[in-house]
Amino acid sequence: MASLKLLSISWDTVDSRKLNFTANPPQLSDHCPIFSVSSYIHFTRSCIISTWNRVKHVNVSPAETELSNLNESNQTDFETQNDLGNEVLGVENGNLSRKVKSRRYSAKKGIKRDLGLSFSFRRNDREQERNDFFVNDGELDVNYSVIGADLCLEQCNAILKRLEKCSDSNTLKFFEWMRSNGKVEKNLTAYNLVLRVFGRREDWDAAETMIREVSKSVGRELNFQVFNTLIYACSKRGCVELGAKWFHMMLECSVRPNVATFGMLMGLYKKGWNVEEAEFAFTQMRKFGIVCESAYAAMITIYTRLSLHDKAEEVIGFIREDKVVPNLENWLVMLNAYCQQGKLEEAEIVLVSMREAGFSPNIVAYNTLIMGYGKVSNMDAAQRLFLSIEDVGLEPDETSYRTMIEGWGRAGNYREAKWYYKELKRLGYKPNSSNLYTLINLQAKYEEEECAINTLDDMLKMGCQHSSILGTLLQAYERAGRIDKVPRILKGSFYQHVLVNQTSCSILVMAYVKHGLVDDAIKVLGDKKWKDAAFEDNLYHLLICSCKESCHLDNAIKIYSQMPDSDGKPNLHIMCTMIDTYSVMGQFTEAEKLYLKLKSSGISLDMIAFSIVVRMYVKAGSLKDACAVLETMEKQKGIDPDVYLYRDMLRIYQQCGMLDKLAYLYYKMLKSGITWDQELYNCVINCCARALPTDELSRIFDEMLHCGFTPNTITFNTMLDVYGKAKLFKKVRKLFCMAQKLGLVDVISYNTIIAAYGQNKDLKNMSSIVQKMQFDGFSISLEAYNCMLDVYGKERQMENFRSVIKKMKEAKCGFDHYTYNIMMNIYGEEGWINEVAGVLNELKESGLGLDLCSYNTLIKAYGIAGMVEEAVDLVKEMRKNGIEPDKITYTNMISALRRNDKFLEAIRWSLWMKQMGL
């Protein structure tokens, strides 16, 4: 079979009209720069051969049959580099690509002819012998009965080559036969063919194994063709990471890449916008001194797309530095790079330089520059450029008009944008979605509702989905602050679509509700024709939640009241949301009605529902009902409270004084496996201080610190109280120092420590803390004074007692019930009834009046003073003032009667006390 080889030609001195090809010219070296021509010949289609200096293109007609004795390494390059050549010559813009590919060049002006290579093939005896090696039982395969180990290497490769075109499995099968017969040793042709198969089958593990095998087999003879085969397969499939992997392995094996390698890699990285790998490959290309125009274009494109404009300009500088002769793609990406960042002067210079380099006017270049002026809203320059297109022998195309519409739209000029839109349609072009979006926004802004209706019709004619169109319309009128005009636009067939399409209907009513057009939303929901109960419930829930989140609670109630009847099966989520809504509005009666309706419907509440109901009762101040709900929840199986509900339960039980419940809940929480956060630690310590042992509280506090959480001031004060009551004053001092360092000490902290020392009758440390309190800038609080009064009084230190009262009056510290009650109690125990009477008068004059504790203290004082009748009168006065006597009242009364030998009366009071269950 005849073979075809290319001569090495100096394009600067040879005229393309005189190019001739001989039948058997010398073959190109593997390391010959591929872009001495833009691409090799591909034998299945015409291709273009061009030079760096833009010599005239030569069309080479396809050969009917593949050259069987073509060197395999060149064949791989033909396949991969022809693809690269097309990429270099082609431009991303569709119009330009079509124009470039459709050009035909001839030697003489006005004459079109193809310079082709004609081939004649004759089957010889050897070829006939090769055909005898095959069998075809539905799929081409080798007739292993007629071949043996004496088959020469050339014949083996020819068979493998033919199988590779027909059957992957049979190719691998024959390759294994060759391996077993010693035919693959240093046989790069065979390895290349099998790597093609692995690439098609995406069997990358097998490909990597074979690469390792080839590297060991051929050593330094390993060249770029082996890796290019795999990189080509990756580039076709868009496998960016795998392509990078083969390239890195190529470098590890000390194999020098060629132009095709970088062309394929950079094209692949451009598709995946992988800037890191692109930068690495680009750096390696320059390091090897290889020039690939498409690589420069790809790098600029990637940087421009990622808005890395400084780096894009750096690559443009490399083009000059590396003395690269830019091709059309290079000029266009440079132009786009400057336009994207608004550097229009530099872009104009690029356009002029492009013309000076011999490139004819190009519509893509003009459109790019128009786009650049549009981005910076310099529409006068864009208009000038648009009008100059015809002056250079070109016609504005579809993209030209589209770009002008976008530019005028960005400048906010509706009149000009509308004119170009009409021209676009008049010339038979179609607007793109961006044009329509621009027009809708302008029409919404300039109150052109009738034109907006026409634009919607154009969108439908283009095949846009109704839901997409509706979203665009709502977004435009929302931005213009004129969403109330949308009902006037949505009519006719479009409105009918909204009524039958669930998605469009939900989009519309959500937008109406968001902007307070509740009546319009309710009308749409009333007119809708679709039937889907579950979807409808979800939609109503979303609408109610939207109103609630925007604090339009009245609208939420209005939408809820318009909901269709639920046939006795209310939606749990909607009902819970409305219970919460009514709670926020303080309408607890309505909220409770919904809860009772849910309860009677037989629907099982979930954890969230119980949380909402519990909080509703807490806000209403009905802790008893909240506890009842919690009891119901505990009886229902499968309810696992979350951390928020646990905190609510702890606070409720604490306020109700349910210490047993607190302890039970705490140990349940430990077993539940929930994650404890800082808020939960604080809540547990504060609520369970009286329900848990001191050791357990101390353990919780230490665990909190170990987890890195910071206790709040209330937690510190609670633990000070716990340690103080347990007489652990060493821990009290240590904890107080810790709180001071964190700046979390307040007046209550001092009061707590003062009370702790007072209860322990440690008067010295109590006085010391009082002084420290003043030294640290805190005024002595009423609580601290009351504590000192109580301690000094009970210790019979009346001088200190009177001194404290004097200091309180000097500091103008107002007395409270606790102060008066302490004074009456101390004076009463001393039998100083006149002082008690004086304090009582002060109490009445202060306007505070007597509380339960005041009455109990007076009864005790009167009993000690032998004033039994006055004590009985106090009980009657209590009831008259609406204060019910408690156990202490009866106890003090009985003690007073016994003290004064009124035993029968004491027994009678004792019986009354038992009857009342006290």
Side-chain angles (χ1 to χ4, degrees):
M1 184 180 292
S3 63
L4 172 67
K5 301 176 182 179
L6 300 177
L7 285 169
S8 177
I9 301 172
S10 174
W11 293 102
D12 295 330
T13 58
V14 179
D15 191 337
S16 63
R17 292 174 295 179
K18 299 179 182 180
L19 294 177
N20 292 307
F21 294 92
T22 62
N24 295 292
Q27 197 175 35
L28 279 177
S29 167
D30 287 345
H31 298 284
C32 174
I34 295 176
F35 281 95
S36 58
V37 290
S38 65
S39 65
Y40 286 135
I41 300 173
H42 196 285
F43 295 109
T44 59
R45 59 184 180 184
S46 296
C47 69
I48 300 172
I49 301 178
S50 65
T51 71
W52 293 116
N53 296 322
R54 302 183 67 254
V55 301
K56 296 181 180 179
H57 296 66
V58 181
N59 288 335
V60 182
S61 59
E64 297 295 331
T65 308
E66 184 186 18
L67 305 181
S68 63
N69 61 347
L70 185 64
N71 181 274
E72 182 59 33
S73 64
N74 281 341
Q75 184 183 8
T76 302
D77 272 359
F78 287 176
E79 188 169 328
T80 59
Q81 294 174 27
N82 183 57
D83 179 69
L84 176 62
N86 289 336
E87 180 186 345
V88 173
L89 292 174
V91 181
E92 289 183 5
N93 183 281
N95 294 331
L96 176 65
S97 180
R98 288 193 294 271
K99 292 179 181 180
V100 172
K101 291 180 180 179
S102 64
R103 291 179 182 174
R104 295 292 182 268
Y105 296 85
S106 62
K108 296 182 180 180
K109 186 175 180 180
I111 299 176
K112 294 182 179 179
R113 62 190 181 92
D114 291 340
L115 294 179
L117 300 176
S118 61
F119 304 94
S120 62
F121 303 100
R122 293 180 303 166
R123 293 186 176 274
N124 52 32
D125 295 339
R126 192 170 182 179
E127 289 173 333
Q128 185 61 44
E129 180 183 348
R130 286 180 184 172
N131 286 333
D132 294 337
F133 294 155
F134 297 99
V135 292
N136 194 337
D137 296 330
E139 187 178 42
L140 189 68
D141 197 0
V142 175
N143 186 354
Y144 290 95
S145 63
V146 300
I147 64 174
D150 58 341
L151 201 65
C152 70
L153 188 62
E154 183 183 359
Q155 289 175 317
C156 290
N157 287 349
I159 293 171
L160 190 66
K161 192 181 302 182
R162 187 167 177 183
L163 286 174
E164 184 268 331
K165 298 180 182 301
C166 302
S167 171
D168 290 348
S169 59
N170 290 336
T171 301
L172 298 176
K173 178 181 176 183
F174 185 69
F175 180 79
E176 290 302 321
W177 181 92
M178 290 176 63
R179 187 199 299 275
S180 63
N181 288 276
K183 304 296 183 181
V184 297
E185 183 74 20
K186 296 186 178 182
N187 188 348
L188 283 177
T189 299
Y191 282 119
N192 268 336
L193 290 169
V194 174
L195 285 173
R196 285 190 194 179
V197 173
F198 287 149
R200 281 198 300 269
R201 301 176 76 168
E202 299 187 32
D203 190 350
W204 308 116
D205 291 337
E208 183 176 359
T209 302
M210 181 156 286
I211 288 287
R212 304 291 184 191
E213 181 182 330
V214 175
S215 179
K216 292 179 181 179
S217 174
V218 302
R220 293 186 177 180
E221 295 180 19
L222 185 65
N223 59 24
F224 57 81
Q225 273 84 10
V226 174
F227 292 97
N228 281 4
T229 299
L230 292 173
I231 294 172
Y232 175 74
C234 293
S235 68
K236 285 297 183 182
R237 289 162 177 78
C239 303
V240 178
E241 293 181 0
L242 282 169
K245 174 183 176 179
W246 303 129
F247 180 61
H248 286 285
M249 187 180 292
M250 187 180 193
L251 298 178
E252 288 173 9
C253 294
S254 301
V255 175
R256 177 186 172 87
N258 69 344
V259 177
T261 309
F262 290 109
M264 291 184 292
L265 281 172
M266 294 301 290
L268 178 61
Y269 296 150
K270 183 175 70 174
K271 292 177 184 177
W273 305 111
N274 192 320
V275 65
E276 292 83 5
E277 291 294 344
E279 287 177 334
F280 177 75
F282 187 76
T283 302
Q284 293 297 318
M285 181 190 76
R286 298 188 71 229
K287 187 183 293 185
F288 282 113
I290 295 174
V291 174
C292 176
E293 291 102 325
S294 66
Y296 289 90
M299 198 72 253
I300 295 172
T301 302
I302 293 171
Y303 281 144
T304 304
R305 176 67 178 273
L306 299 177
S307 299
L308 301 172
H309 300 301
D310 291 339
K311 290 190 174 184
E313 289 193 49
E314 188 178 353
V315 177
I316 293 174
F318 290 153
I319 291 178
R320 301 187 184 97
E321 182 181 329
D322 299 343
K323 298 181 180 180
V324 178
V325 179
N327 60 16
L328 181 59
E329 184 185 14
N330 294 131
W331 286 115
L332 292 178
V333 296
M334 286 191 285
L335 187 67
N336 182 57
Y338 286 124
C339 288
Q340 287 293 337
Q341 52 183 316
K343 294 185 175 182
L344 280 308
E345 292 183 5
E346 289 85 345
E348 291 272 12
I349 294 173
V350 170
L351 185 63
V352 172
S353 300
M354 181 178 169
R355 294 290 303 274
E356 291 175 350
F359 287 91
S360 58
N362 186 283
I363 191 63
V364 176
Y366 278 90
N367 290 342
T368 302
L369 202 53
I370 290 172
M371 176 272 297
Y373 281 120
K375 283 178 74 72
V376 298
S377 298
N378 186 355
M379 289 310 296
D380 291 335
Q383 183 90 325
R384 170 184 56 79
L385 199 62
F386 179 87
L387 297 175
S388 70
I389 292 177
E390 293 185 355
D391 296 339
V392 296
L394 298 174
E395 289 290 335
D397 64 359
E398 189 175 52
T399 303
S400 308
Y401 286 97
R402 289 177 174 178
T403 308
M404 290 299 292
I405 294 170
E406 291 305 300
W408 285 117
R410 189 177 286 107
N413 192 322
Y414 174 60
R415 185 176 63 84
E416 291 293 338
K418 182 179 179 181
W419 185 88
Y420 277 97
Y421 181 74
K422 288 182 177 179
E423 282 296 297
L424 177 77
K425 294 176 64 177
R426 185 184 66 80
L427 294 171
Y429 297 136
K430 292 183 179 180
N432 58 22
S433 58
S434 181
N435 296 151
L436 297 170
Y437 180 78
T438 298
L439 277 180
I440 281 290
N441 277 279
L442 291 171
Q443 288 158 354
K445 180 179 180 181
Y446 291 100
E447 304 182 11
E448 293 281 346
E449 275 68 52
E450 292 300 323
C451 293
I453 294 173
N454 295 332
T455 303
L456 294 183
D457 291 337
D458 289 345
M459 288 182 172
L460 288 173
K461 290 176 183 177
M462 282 185 61
C464 296
Q465 298 294 322
H466 282 83
S467 57
S468 176
I469 298 172
L470 183 61
T472 301
L473 178 69
L474 292 172
Q475 189 177 9
Y477 275 85
E478 185 176 22
R479 185 181 290 110
R482 302 179 64 246
I483 197 75
D484 57 306
K485 303 299 180 182
V486 172
R488 291 177 51 192
I489 300 172
L490 292 180
K491 53 187 179 180
S493 61
F494 205 100
Y495 183 66
Q496 292 302 315
H497 166 79
V498 169
L499 298 182
V500 299
N501 185 273
Q502 296 175 202
T503 304
S504 298
C505 181
S506 60
I507 291 173
L508 183 60
V509 295
M510 285 293 292
Y512 283 163
V513 169
K514 179 182 177 181
H515 295 279
L517 303 177
V518 177
D519 292 333
D520 292 301
I522 292 174
K523 180 180 183 302
V524 173
L525 291 171
D527 294 343
K528 70 175 181 61
K529 298 178 181 178
W530 51 269
K531 302 290 183 183
D532 188 335
F535 188 90
E536 187 174 9
D537 278 351
N538 290 334
L539 178 57
Y540 272 106
H541 188 216
L542 285 173
L543 296 175
I544 293 170
C545 288
S546 176
C547 294
K548 184 172 175 289
E549 289 173 1
S550 59
C551 298
H552 296 150
L553 304 181
D554 291 330
N555 287 341
I557 295 174
K558 190 173 186 179
I559 292 171
Y560 173 72
S561 64
Q562 296 295 323
M563 281 185 62
D565 188 21
S566 58
D567 296 328
K569 294 182 179 180
N571 184 285
L572 177 63
H573 304 298
I574 294 176
M575 298 289 277
C576 289
T577 303
M578 289 308 302
I579 289 172
D580 195 37
T581 301
Y582 282 125
S583 298
V584 172
M585 298 177 71
Q587 299 182 23
F588 300 111
T589 303
E590 294 297 325
E592 188 176 32
K593 285 180 181 178
L594 293 183
Y595 167 60
L596 295 176
K597 184 178 180 180
L598 262 181
K599 197 174 180 180
S600 62
S601 68
I603 296 176
S604 297
L605 275 66
D606 57 13
M607 187 270 296
I608 295 175
F610 278 115
S611 298
I612 291 173
V613 175
V614 166
R615 289 179 185 177
M616 179 265 292
Y617 279 124
V618 171
K619 289 178 182 178
S622 181
L623 298 180
K624 183 178 179 181
D625 290 321
C627 290
V629 174
L630 292 177
E631 287 181 9
T632 303
M633 183 186 74
E634 289 176 0
K635 294 176 183 178
Q636 184 173 318
K637 295 181 179 179
I639 302 295
D640 295 318
D642 62 0
V643 66
Y644 304 102
L645 183 54
Y646 272 126
R647 292 207 298 258
D648 289 339
M649 295 169 72
L650 288 168
R651 294 183 183 113
I652 291 169
Y653 290 148
Q654 182 206 24
Q655 292 178 47
C656 293
M658 303 171 71
L659 303 184
D660 292 339
K661 282 283 188 182
L662 283 168
Y664 171 78
L665 184 61
Y666 166 71
Y667 291 110
K668 181 181 177 181
M669 289 168 59
L670 292 181
K671 297 177 182 178
S672 67
I674 63 168
T675 302
W676 287 48
D677 57 7
Q678 180 171 299
E679 185 65 26
L680 185 57
Y681 275 110
N682 284 323
C683 187
V684 168
I685 293 172
N686 297 332
C687 295
C688 298
R690 294 170 55 203
L692 297 177
T694 302
D695 291 343
E696 187 65 19
L697 288 168
S698 182
R699 187 196 66 79
I700 298 170
F701 186 77
D702 291 340
E703 182 182 293
M704 180 181 185
L705 297 176
H706 180 72
C707 291
F709 297 126
T710 303
N712 57 29
T713 300
I714 298 175
T715 303
F716 271 115
N717 292 340
T718 301
M719 290 306 300
L720 286 172
D721 184 56
V722 169
Y723 289 148
K725 289 177 179 177
K727 300 181 180 181
L728 301 173
F729 292 106
K730 185 177 181 181
K731 286 191 174 183
V732 168
R733 288 188 289 271
K734 180 180 179 182
L735 190 62
F736 184 77
C737 290
M738 184 190 301
Q740 275 191 315
K741 289 179 181 178
L742 295 172
L744 297 175
V745 170
D746 62 0
V747 174
I748 298 175
S749 306
Y750 288 99
N751 293 340
T752 304
I753 299 176
I754 291 169
Y757 282 124
Q759 290 171 4
N760 199 45
K761 300 179 181 180
D762 189 347
L763 305 184
K764 181 179 179 182
N765 279 324
M766 183 182 73
S767 300
S768 174
I769 290 296
V770 172
Q771 292 175 3
K772 181 174 176 57
M773 184 179 184
Q774 291 179 299
F775 180 79
D776 290 341
F778 290 96
S779 299
I780 301 177
S781 64
L782 176 61
E783 290 78 10
Y785 279 123
N786 288 339
C787 182
M788 288 188 287
L789 279 175
D790 187 53
V791 173
Y792 287 136
K794 289 178 180 178
E795 291 298 311
R796 300 292 193 270
Q797 294 189 15
M798 301 311 294
E799 289 298 326
N800 289 332
F801 183 85
R802 292 189 182 94
S803 174
V804 171
I805 294 175
K806 182 179 179 182
K807 288 178 181 178
M808 290 179 70
K809 291 180 178 179
E810 289 175 353
K812 296 181 179 180
C813 180
F815 293 3
D816 63 358
H817 272 116
Y818 191 48
T819 311
Y820 288 115
N821 292 339
I822 291 173
M823 292 169 66
M824 287 190 295
N825 182 51
I826 298 302
Y827 290 146
E829 287 184 350
E830 292 293 329
W832 298 347
I833 197 64
N834 293 329
E835 283 78 357
V836 171
V839 173
L840 180 60
N841 289 331
E842 288 183 26
L843 174 59
K844 291 179 178 179
E845 290 173 1
S846 69
L848 292 175
L850 277 72
D851 62 3
L852 177 61
C853 185
S854 303
Y855 281 111
N856 290 341
T857 303
L858 278 174
I859 291 170
K860 179 181 176 182
Y862 286 159
I864 294 172
M867 302 169 63
V868 178
E869 293 181 1
E870 285 80 357
V872 173
D873 291 339
L874 282 175
V875 175
K876 294 178 182 178
E877 183 182 328
M878 285 176 66
R879 288 174 174 156
K880 183 179 179 181
N881 293 332
I883 299 175
E884 283 297 322
D886 64 356
K887 185 176 180 179
I888 297 175
T889 310
Y890 283 97
T891 302
N892 289 348
M893 194 67 220
I894 293 169
S895 297
L897 292 169
R898 286 176 178 173
R899 182 186 294 271
N900 292 278
D901 299 328
K902 305 279 187 180
F903 297 108
L904 290 177
E905 288 295 324
I907 292 171
R908 190 181 297 129
W909 279 86
S910 180
L911 291 173
W912 288 343
M913 183 177 175
K914 287 182 179 180
Q915 288 177 359
M916 297 182 67
L918 299 176

